[in-house]
């Protein structure tokens, strides 16, 4: 076949330039000397910086981009402020001046000549200097400047102070990277990391002498080393007392001792790093250890620094540091520096943060969690520190590959761990044998099933926050685990060591990693580097059939690729005793591949028995020779809910009790498969015995989720079935069957702050009254669009409905449009005001006037019998007039929060509903006011345009339950206080299926 050679040629042509470039690789060099003094009374840094910039590129440089990242904290114009605001954090956007930070007093000199700078693209944290003399290839310049930093609050992001605990990161002027793609100026961001030039640092820090400092580099000041050693001895000796001293002390943190009058200057140097960070705190306790690296047996010193209140948690921190350093060295290449440090901090960006040699760790809830965070951050010394990829653009190259190593660390050190099970109520709900790998696996499957996942290769600023965490970290870890499983640990480790040796202290790009892996394996890995890294395409294989030879000498196993990635797949064969006897990988190939095995007496065949491949559906992975349905996994009935196991058909059940006015008490059982990770085909069947109707009532919901490659994020096809009694007479009930298709619209690969959804549904509905059946059917289309920011939300929904009875005597064709706006009017108190605008019109309305109430539009919202598509739950669906349950109304149509029958029309109505939180009162109490206009249809009144209004107080709980007390209203709605109890309206919103949970709101 021609396909393969042509692909290979194209691939070669595509990769050829990169092969050349990797041989011609060059990078710039920056060598810094900085002296800095900490003013811990006013939270300022005063510093002098000098750096030598060496142009190793083949290009003549005429300008220099310098990051002034403390200015990211200056005001709301920085990219940081905008990004945090967009992601729902307005700490900086509306921040108090005293909490903000900046850098000033700059006076750049290049080779002793003053130069001026401008802001690049008006960004406060990127300076652009036009060089007076062009910097030719091979030449160097000497740049110097004084600077002053106002240290921002540590609650904003990574640079900051919490009281007198200092986290000095991204604190000095620093050139942007110049690489084969040109200059890479970038503003500081919370979501999105770094890219810096390698070089050396010589940093002297002056501060009150009782501060303990953890920093990048080797400490050159002997007196300081002695100070730390003494602290470490003291901590070790007094550990039991320190722990018991803090036991039971809650609330107040360890107090800060006064700063010593005496100042000290301590000096650190380091080469082959691209950043320098330091952390200082007067309260730190210190632990010291050392780790022997594999093979070379080189010793590396480890330091842990933490506040006394966290001493118990940090007791084994040295072990975590040492083990992390050891395993990462073993799997990737030896740690090339002399020391590794972890400090206890209160940072605002994530659980921990990495810098060369030193990592800062946020609050952990347990020793397990602390170990994972320390190991992860220490691991960044490799994937960020030593292998300095452009994290801002290709975040997966550090976070994702690091996650692979982190998961591998836990799997290795704690074989048989049940980390995920332990997290879910200690394994209750049948989440039994789920380990640390399964945790990432579940998270990825969950977001993938919503269609809101993005490709691994996505720019940090384009990622939704959920995808940044789940896709960039977890999915990358999972796909590299897949690659490792396919290549085998030994081969994978060999290639990672080659990657380390070739690219240490350099800037590897994704194509460099790919070229290396393809060269070393001799394989075309486009299924990995293109499909899995660059797209949201999913992996899914199924066993088509297994044909055992007549003489039972061997079998042919036919496997079909039903996914979107043409990758390798592992097939596991088991003998009659249940032992795995064969494990083979099918190479990427045709849609259908056959594995021939010479094993006889096969009991079962499983695709990826170890669950090492991030496959979309594991429900089609098993074949069993002795089973009636050979491709069905054995049934497992479990109580309530649990995980969908890959080798079982899990059915969850729960007894259920329900009730309404006609069915009275209902007792039943709900069966479903809504476990985790979610299945493609989902069902919930809940039959109930109705003591009122003396029949079976209940609901069923069946759906299938499709993840198309383009055009829609997700398509869900399903059917809802509902049947309940509808009056107190015998043989009176309704049954509604509503097939639907729901599209989450938008481009699969793009994050947008605007969500779009389209639902198309049909309805067949039989209403039976005392044995007489009336059939109806209809169609409905609903299109919704919504978006917003932390202060403002908007939404538009337009609906068309057609509904008729079987004989066509009653027909209605309705168009509706609804707009919702809400904005926060008091930011600190979180007080919102919201307005809903509605217009509905029946374009076609055929019905005898005496029985058409159910097809009319209602200013007070539809009652049970006006809910044509059976979308809501009503306690007494057909309650009318003054009956108590007639006060239950749905939040639709005119939306008035009162129960007047005035304002019911067969023509059109329009309304405005306003709701506002009240300052100083809890937010479940709101003020409301409704205004409506409609065309009155009572002939004997003449056709008239009518206006009505009301206002009052409401109590709303979690969007499910609401009670509304009108206080004033227009006269035409009748006297409010004649029978006040009857005017109170309430809503109940239980229906999650028809409307669908809007995942966009959760994952965007
Ligand atoms: Zn990380």
């Amino acid at each position: 076949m021609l396909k393969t050679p042509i692909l290979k040629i194209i691939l070669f042509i595509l990769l050829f330039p990169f092969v050349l470039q990797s041989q011609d690789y060059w990078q710039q060099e920056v060598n810094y000397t900085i002296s800095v003094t900490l003013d811990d009374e006013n939270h300022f840094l005063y510093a002098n910086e000098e750096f030598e910039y060496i142009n190793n590129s083949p290009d003549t440089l005429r300008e220099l981009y310098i990051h002034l990242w403390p200015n990211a904290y200056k005001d709301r114009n920085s990219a940081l402020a905008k990004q945090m605001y967009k992601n729902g954090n307005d700490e900086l956007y509306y921040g108090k001046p005293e909490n903000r930070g900046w850098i000033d007093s700059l006076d750049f000199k290049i080779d002793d000549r003053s130069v001026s700078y401008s802001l690049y693209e008006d960004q406060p944290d990127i300076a652009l200097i036009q060089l007076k003399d062009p910097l030719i290839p091979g030449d160097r310049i000497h740049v110097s400047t004084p600077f002053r930093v106002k240290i921002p609050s540590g609650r904003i992001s990574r640079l900051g102070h919490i009281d007198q605990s200092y986290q000095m990161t991204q604190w000095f002027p620093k050139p942007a990277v110049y690489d084969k793609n040109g200059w890479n100026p970038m503003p500081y961001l919370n979501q999105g990391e770094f890219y810096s030039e390698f070089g050396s640092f010589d940093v002297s820090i002056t501060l009150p002498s009782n501060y303990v400092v953890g920093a990048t580099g080797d400490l050159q000041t002997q007196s300081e080393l002695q100070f730390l050693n003494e602290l470490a001895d003291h901590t070790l000796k007094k550990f039991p007392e320190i722990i018991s001293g803090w036991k039971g002390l809650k609330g107040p943190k360890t107090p800060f001792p006064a700063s010593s009058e005496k100042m000290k200057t301590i000096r650190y140097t380091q080469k082959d790093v691209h950043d320098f960070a330091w952390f200082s705190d007067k309260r730190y306790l210190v632990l010291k250890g050392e780790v022997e690296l594999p093979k070379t047996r080189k010793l590396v010193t480890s330091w842990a620094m933490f506040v006394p209140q966290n001493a118990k948690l940090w007791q084994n921190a040295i072990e975590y540091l040492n083990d992390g350093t050891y395993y990462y060295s073993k799997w990737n290449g030896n740690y090339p520096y002399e020391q590794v440090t972890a400090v206890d901090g209160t940072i605002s960006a994530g659980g921990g943060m990495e810098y060369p040699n030193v990592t800062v760790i946020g609050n952990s809830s347990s020793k397990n969690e602390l170990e994972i965070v320390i190991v992860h951050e220490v691991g960044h010394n490799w994937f960020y520190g030593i292998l300095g990829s452009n994290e801002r653009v290709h975040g997966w190259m550090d976070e994702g590959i690091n996650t692979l190593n982190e998961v591998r660390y836990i799997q290795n050190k704690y074989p048989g761990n049940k980390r995920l099970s332990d997290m879910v109520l200690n394994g209750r709900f049948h989440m039994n044998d789920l380990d640390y790998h399964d945790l990432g696996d579940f998270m990825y499957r969950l977001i993938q099933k919503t269609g809101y996942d993005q490709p691994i290769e996505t720019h940090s600023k384009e990622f939704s926050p959920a995808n940044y965490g789940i896709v960039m970290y977890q999915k990358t870890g999972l796909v590299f685990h897949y690659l490792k499983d396919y290549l085998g640990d030994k081969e994978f480790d060999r290639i990672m060591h080659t990657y380390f040796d070739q690219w240490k202290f350099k800037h590897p790009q994704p194509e460099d990693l790919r070229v290396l892996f393809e060269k070393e394996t001799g394989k075309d890995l486009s299924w990995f580097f293109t499909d899995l890294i660059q797209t949201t395409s999913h992996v899914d294989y199924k066993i088509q059939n297994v044909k055992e030879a007549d003489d039972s000498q061997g079998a042919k196993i036919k496997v079909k690729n039903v996914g979107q990635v043409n990758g390798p797949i592992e097939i596991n064969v088991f003998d009659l005793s249940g032992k795995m006897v064969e494990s083979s990988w099918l190479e990427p190939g045709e849609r259908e591949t056959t594995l021939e095995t010479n094993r006889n007496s096969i009991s079962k065949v499983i695709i990826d028995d170890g669950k090492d491949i991030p496959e979309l559906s594991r429900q089609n992975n098993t074949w069993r020779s002795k089973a009636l349905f050979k491709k069905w996994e054995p049934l497992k009935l479990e109580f309530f809910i649990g995980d969908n196991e890959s080798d079982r058909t899990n059915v969850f059940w729960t007894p259920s009790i329900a009730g309404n006015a006609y069915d009275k008490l209902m007792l039943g059982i709900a069966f479903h498969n809504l476990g985790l990770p979610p299945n493609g085909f989902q069902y919930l069947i809940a039959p109930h015995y109705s003591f009122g109707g003396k029949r079976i009532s209940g609901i069923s919901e069946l759906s299938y989720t499709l993840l198309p490659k383009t055009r829609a994020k997700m398509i869900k096809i399903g059917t809802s079935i509902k049947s309940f009694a509808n009056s107190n007479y015998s043989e009176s009930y309704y049954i509604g069957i509503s097939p639907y298709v729901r599209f989450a619209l938008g481009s699969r690969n793009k994050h947008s702050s605007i969500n779009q959804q389209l639902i198309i549904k049909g309805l067949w509905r039989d209403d039976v009254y005392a044995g007489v059946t009336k059939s109806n059917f209809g169609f409905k289309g609903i299109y919704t669009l919504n978006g917003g920011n932390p202060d403002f939300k908007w939404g538009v929904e337009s609906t068309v409905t057609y509904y008729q009875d079987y004989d066509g005597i009653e027909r209605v064709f309705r168009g509706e449009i609804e707009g919702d706006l809400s904005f926060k009017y008091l930011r600190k108190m979180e007080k919102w005001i919201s307005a809903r605008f509605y217009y509905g019109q029946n374009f076609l309305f055929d019905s005898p006037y005496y029985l058409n109430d159910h097809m009319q539009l209602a200013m007070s919202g539809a009652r049970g019998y006006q809910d044509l598509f059976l979308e809501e739950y009503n306690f007494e669906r057909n309650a009318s007039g003054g009956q108590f349950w007639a006060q239950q109304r749905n939040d639709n149509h005119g939306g008035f929060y009162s129960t007047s029958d005035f304002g019911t029309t067969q023509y059109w109505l329009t309304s405005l509903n306003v709701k506002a939180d009240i300052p100083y009162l809890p937010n479940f109490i709101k003020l409301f006011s409704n205004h409506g206009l409609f065309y009155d249809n009572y002939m004997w009144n003449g056709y008239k345009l009518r206006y009505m209004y009301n206002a009052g107080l409401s109590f709303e709980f979690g969007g499910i339950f609401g009670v509304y007390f009108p206080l004033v209203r227009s006269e035409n709605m009748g006297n409010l206080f004649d029978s006040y109890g009857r005017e109170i309206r309430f809503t109940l919103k239980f229906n999650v299926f028809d409307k669908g949970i809007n995942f966009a709101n959760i994952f965007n």
Side-chain angles (χ1 to χ4, degrees):
M1 294 224 299
L2 265 171
K3 224 164 82 188
T4 323
I6 284 178
L7 254 177
K8 282 222 169 110
I9 290 165
I10 293 171
L11 191 76
F12 184 72
I13 292 168
L14 282 176
L15 294 177
F16 192 64
F18 302 130
V19 176
L20 277 185
Q21 267 173 13
S22 67
Q23 284 163 352
D24 290 352
Y25 179 84
W26 50 263
Q27 70 186 16
Q28 310 294 66
E29 184 179 334
V30 188
N31 299 312
Y32 299 85
T33 308
I34 309 175
S35 56
V36 56
T37 302
L38 169 70
D39 168 2
D40 71 341
E41 250 170 68
N42 306 301
H43 311 300
F44 272 94
L45 293 179
Y46 294 87
N48 275 298
E49 172 178 338
E50 292 175 29
F51 63 82
E52 181 187 48
Y53 184 93
I54 306 171
N55 181 13
N56 293 323
S57 82
D59 309 323
T60 296
L61 302 181
R62 289 165 210 285
E63 62 215 350
L64 195 60
Y65 288 86
I66 296 190
H67 291 159
L68 306 174
W69 281 4
N71 272 349
Y73 303 83
K74 196 175 175 184
D75 53 40
R76 64 169 64 173
N77 296 320
S78 70
L80 171 67
K82 288 174 191 160
Q83 185 190 55
M84 289 177 73
Y85 181 69
K86 188 175 135 218
N87 290 347
N89 180 337
D90 55 15
E91 186 82 40
L92 178 57
Y93 199 84
Y94 291 114
K96 288 189 200 145
E98 63 266 33
N99 289 339
R100 294 179 175 176
W102 62 81
I103 182 167
D104 65 5
S105 312
L106 292 160
D107 179 14
F108 286 106
K109 286 194 172 70
I110 295 184
D111 294 331
D112 294 326
R113 286 155 69 196
S114 277
V115 287
S116 58
Y117 69 91
S118 55
L119 293 183
Y120 170 63
E121 287 179 348
D122 281 335
Q123 306 197 69
D125 54 346
I126 307 174
L128 171 58
I129 296 176
Q130 300 293 342
L131 297 177
K132 286 182 176 162
D133 301 316
L135 178 57
I136 57 167
D139 235 348
R140 61 188 68 195
I141 47 174
H142 182 265
V143 182
S144 68
T145 183
F147 67 93
R148 180 176 77 149
V149 173
K150 157 74 170 57
I151 303 166
S153 159
R155 287 181 221 294
I156 299 171
S157 190
R158 302 179 183 102
L159 165 68
H161 72 97
I162 302 285
D163 210 331
Q164 285 180 320
S165 178
Y166 293 93
Q167 304 181 40
M168 298 302 102
T169 65
Q170 288 94 25
W171 55 282
F172 57 92
K174 191 178 186 189
V177 172
Y178 185 78
D179 64 13
K180 65 181 183 189
N181 301 317
W183 283 103
N184 294 268
M186 49 181 79
Y188 175 81
L189 291 178
N190 218 29
Q191 181 182 304
E193 294 182 347
F194 319 123
Y195 191 35
S196 310
E197 300 288 12
F198 280 94
S200 66
F201 283 88
D202 184 333
V203 178
S204 298
I205 303 166
T206 303
L207 75 181
S209 62
N210 57 339
Y211 272 91
V212 180
V213 179
T216 301
D218 299 329
L219 183 57
Q220 301 297 328
T221 313
Q222 281 312 308
S223 54
E224 183 67 8
L225 193 60
Q226 200 180 332
F227 171 66
L228 291 179
N229 283 336
E230 280 165 14
L231 265 173
D233 285 345
H234 168 84
T235 306
L236 203 59
K237 262 187 227 139
K238 303 273 177 184
F239 220 92
E241 287 155 62
I242 294 165
I243 290 176
S244 63
W246 280 94
K247 207 183 283 172
L249 270 186
K250 277 186 192 147
K253 296 185 192 98
T254 320
F256 289 92
S259 289
S260 139
E261 296 282 305
K262 213 179 114 209
M263 301 290 273
K264 65 181 174 188
T265 297
I266 52 183
R267 180 171 164 238
Y268 297 85
T269 61
Q270 187 60 278
K271 63 177 173 51
D272 294 329
V273 287
H274 54 65
D275 204 359
F276 187 98
W278 56 285
F279 305 86
S280 60
D281 196 309
K282 291 174 283 189
R283 305 165 300 171
Y284 278 159
L285 297 169
V286 174
L287 283 174
K288 186 183 184 181
E290 64 182 5
V291 52
E292 189 185 283
L293 300 184
K295 287 186 189 149
T296 59
R297 312 193 66 178
K298 185 189 138 178
L299 294 174
V300 171
T301 307
S302 45
W303 297 95
M305 302 175 174
F306 46 91
V307 292
Q309 82 219 40
N310 292 336
K312 194 171 177 196
L313 199 64
W314 279 68
Q315 200 166 8
N316 306 320
I318 291 293
E319 175 198 319
Y320 314 148
L321 279 159
N322 291 352
D323 289 353
T325 306
Y326 176 83
Y327 279 112
Y328 273 75
S329 292
K330 185 178 161 194
W331 295 326
N332 303 288
N334 272 359
Y335 187 70
Y337 310 111
E338 303 302 318
Q339 61 101 352
V340 57
T341 301
V343 303
D344 181 8
T346 348
I347 61 159
S348 303
M353 195 59 221
E354 66 274 11
Y355 299 93
N357 305 143
V358 63
T359 61
V360 58
I361 310 296
N363 283 330
S364 300
S365 59
S366 66
K367 286 185 178 177
N368 286 343
E369 194 188 315
L370 182 71
E371 175 167 19
I372 289 171
V373 179
I374 287 183
V375 166
H376 178 99
E377 305 310 338
V378 164
H380 275 301
N381 275 297
W382 281 260
F383 305 102
Y384 148 81
I386 302 162
L387 297 153
S389 48
N390 183 344
E391 305 176 275
R392 182 64 59 86
V393 186
H394 316 290
W396 60 274
M397 291 186 77
D398 66 300
E399 294 301 353
I401 301 178
N402 192 23
T403 299
L404 168 83
N405 281 271
E406 168 203 319
V407 173
R408 194 174 174 188
Y409 172 96
I410 297 295
Q411 306 286 58
N412 255 270
K413 192 169 166 185
Y414 304 100
N417 79 84
K418 294 180 182 175
R419 288 292 162 105
L420 176 55
S421 299
D422 296 346
M423 284 168 70
V424 193
L425 296 170
N426 287 321
R428 245 162 271 167
F429 299 135
H430 322 286
M431 307 282 241
N432 288 326
D433 293 308
L434 300 171
D435 66 11
Y436 197 55
H437 177 266
D438 292 319
L439 177 62
D441 191 65
F442 269 41
M443 288 200 284
Y444 165 57
R445 274 148 200 279
L446 202 61
I447 197 163
Q448 182 195 35
K449 270 286 159 56
T450 67
Y452 278 87
D453 57 330
Q454 289 171 278
I456 287 174
E457 172 69 62
T458 297
H459 193 292
S460 297
K461 68 171 192 236
E462 305 294 333
F463 263 126
S464 70
N467 278 316
Y468 188 76
I470 299 175
V471 169
M472 197 174 85
Y473 286 67
Q474 304 303 333
K475 186 188 172 188
T476 312
L478 295 170
V479 301
F480 270 92
H481 186 88
Y482 176 15
L483 181 64
K484 176 169 82 67
D485 201 46
Y486 166 56
L487 298 174
D489 282 7
K490 222 176 130 189
E491 175 71 350
F492 185 83
D493 291 349
R494 182 187 70 78
I495 298 171
M496 286 311 286
H497 274 88
T498 312
Y499 176 50
F500 179 92
D501 291 339
Q502 255 176 43
W503 288 99
K504 66 180 168 194
F505 316 130
K506 288 181 187 165
H507 299 307
Q509 302 285 343
E511 57 269 20
D512 299 320
L513 186 65
R514 177 175 181 163
V515 163
L516 186 130
F517 260 92
E518 294 198 324
K519 183 171 160 264
E520 294 297 321
T521 58
K523 290 174 193 285
D524 172 3
L525 298 176
S526 35
W527 60 271
F528 183 82
F529 286 100
T530 306
D531 293 357
L532 290 177
I533 300 281
Q534 290 176 25
T535 76
T536 49
S537 295
H538 57 258
V539 182
D540 193 9
Y541 284 81
K542 74 170 202 179
I543 294 189
Q544 187 77 346
N545 58 53
V546 178
K547 282 213 177 77
E548 290 174 279
D550 291 340
D551 55 0
S552 25
Q553 287 298 309
K556 284 183 180 161
I557 302 161
K558 203 181 270 180
V559 177
K560 192 171 181 189
N561 184 355
V562 289
Q564 298 163 340
V565 176
N566 187 11
I569 194 82
E570 189 184 4
I571 311 293
N572 307 110
V573 180
F574 293 78
D575 70 8
L576 289 176
S577 69
K579 208 178 94 190
M580 195 200 293
V581 286
E582 189 170 331
S583 172
S584 311
W585 282 88
L586 288 177
E587 292 294 326
E590 305 300 312
R591 298 299 286 178
E592 216 169 64
T593 337
T594 305
L595 175 75
E596 290 197 33
T597 172
N598 51 16
R599 303 273 165 187
N600 41 35
S601 314
I602 296 172
S603 69
K604 61 179 176 178
V605 177
I606 297 181
I607 293 175
D608 182 33
D609 183 53
K611 293 190 286 170
D612 298 306
I613 301 172
E615 250 213 312
L616 180 73
S617 170
R618 295 200 176 117
Q619 312 308 123
N620 52 14
N621 285 8
T622 310
W623 175 92
R624 293 181 305 150
S625 73
K626 291 282 174 290
L628 183 60
F629 300 101
K630 296 187 188 305
K631 289 194 278 180
W632 274 38
E633 278 104 14
L635 207 69
K636 192 169 170 189
L637 209 61
E638 290 178 318
F639 176 63
F640 199 51
I641 197 162
D643 63 314
N644 284 313
E645 294 159 75
S646 60
D647 54 349
R648 292 279 182 278
T649 302
N650 297 78
V651 178
F652 307 109
W653 68 276
T654 173
S656 162
I657 181 164
N660 65 45
Y662 312 127
D663 285 298
K664 313 289 184 212
L665 175 70
M666 287 180 279
L667 290 178
I669 301 181
F671 295 97
H672 69 90
N673 74 341
L674 309 173
L676 285 174
N679 289 326
F681 173 69
Q682 295 185 312
Y683 63 84
L684 169 80
I685 298 167
H688 285 68
Y689 181 74
S690 154
F691 285 88
K694 302 199 168 35
R695 54 183 289 279
I696 300 297
S697 287
I699 59 160
S700 292
E701 178 76 27
L702 312 166
S703 70
Y704 188 76
T705 306
L706 291 165
L707 297 170
K709 243 180 162 164
T710 51
R711 285 171 208 273
K713 287 178 185 289
M714 181 201 70
I715 302 172
K716 192 164 202 163
I717 301 167
T719 302
S720 307
I721 303 167
K722 268 184 204 169
S723 182
F724 291 100
N726 59 4
S727 88
N728 285 322
Y729 300 110
S730 63
E731 273 206 66
S732 295
Y733 61 91
Y734 70 83
I735 177 162
I737 302 172
S738 180
Y740 63 86
V741 51
R742 199 170 85 220
F743 302 87
L745 300 176
S747 161
R748 196 74 209 281
N749 299 343
K750 274 228 174 81
H751 169 54
S752 166
S753 51
I754 295 170
N755 308 302
Q756 292 182 76
Q757 185 171 250
L758 176 67
I759 301 174
I760 296 166
K761 60 169 128 185
L763 172 78
W764 180 270
R765 171 174 174 174
D766 274 356
D767 293 270
V768 182
Y769 287 97
V772 181
T773 304
K774 181 174 170 252
S775 298
N776 312 274
F777 62 88
F779 304 96
K780 194 169 193 172
I782 308 161
Y783 172 73
T784 56
L785 193 66
N786 60 58
N789 65 36
D791 294 316
F792 176 72
K793 304 207 183 307
W794 62 269
V796 179
E797 181 170 294
S798 55
T799 309
V800 287
T801 308
Y802 178 79
Y803 183 84
Q804 72 159 79
D805 69 343
Y806 187 75
D807 301 320
I809 296 168
E810 292 183 315
R811 295 190 298 166
V812 63
F813 177 64
R814 178 181 295 164
E816 292 166 286
I817 184 150
E818 186 183 319
D820 293 279
L821 291 176
S822 35
F823 72 94
K824 211 191 272 175
Y825 73 94
L826 283 177
R827 195 182 68 84
K828 284 206 185 105
M829 281 194 239
E830 281 279 335
K831 297 294 172 191
W832 288 79
I833 184 159
S834 62
R836 169 183 181 266
F837 164 79
Y838 173 83
Y839 178 81
Q841 182 170 357
N842 291 328
F843 294 103
L844 178 78
F845 194 90
D846 283 344
S847 176
Y849 70 92
Y850 53 87
L851 53 71
N852 67 18
D853 256 15
H854 62 292
M855 301 197 316
Q856 299 210 359
L857 288 161
M859 198 62 92
S860 297
R863 290 185 180 185
Y865 62 83
Q866 289 167 329
D867 176 26
L868 301 177
F869 275 68
L870 303 167
E871 289 161 307
E872 311 289 340
Y873 287 91
N874 290 273
F875 190 77
E876 189 174 348
R877 183 163 284 271
N878 294 320
S880 64
Q883 288 173 295
F884 174 76
W885 287 102
Q887 285 158 246
Q888 184 188 347
R889 302 289 185 114
N890 302 313
D891 261 342
N892 51 20
H893 296 191
F896 262 51
Y897 298 128
S898 60
T899 58
S900 177
D901 283 333
F902 188 67
T904 306
T905 177
Q906 68 183 56
Y907 300 100
W908 60 264
L909 66 79
T910 182
S911 66
L912 177 70
N913 316 115
V914 183
K915 251 190 303 197
D917 298 333
I918 307 168
Y920 303 104
L921 290 181
N923 278 359
F924 65 83
I925 307 172
K926 296 179 204 301
L927 283 173
F928 70 79
S929 174
N930 303 295
H931 303 267
L933 205 60
F934 72 103
Y935 200 45
D936 197 347
N937 56 324
Y938 289 103
M939 277 177 258
W940 40 88
N941 286 347
Y943 294 101
K944 273 184 194 162
L945 203 58
R946 306 247 179 210
Y947 167 72
M948 56 199 279
Y949 70 87
N950 72 2
L953 214 54
S954 68
F955 296 84
E956 289 182 350
F957 302 92
I960 292 174
F961 177 55
V963 195
Y964 304 86
F965 299 91
L967 297 174
V968 287
R969 67 182 190 188
S970 51
E971 255 173 48
N972 52 16
M973 291 180 77
N975 190 335
L976 182 58
F977 299 100
D978 271 355
S979 156
Y980 187 72
R982 294 273 151 83
E983 310 298 344
I984 298 163
R985 196 194 115 165
F986 66 87
T987 56
L988 270 173
K989 284 180 235 169
F990 283 137
N991 198 346
V992 290
F993 288 113
D994 284 0
K995 297 254 167 66
I997 298 165
N998 194 346
F999 284 109
N1001 295 338
I1002 301 171
F1003 290 122
N1004 261 4

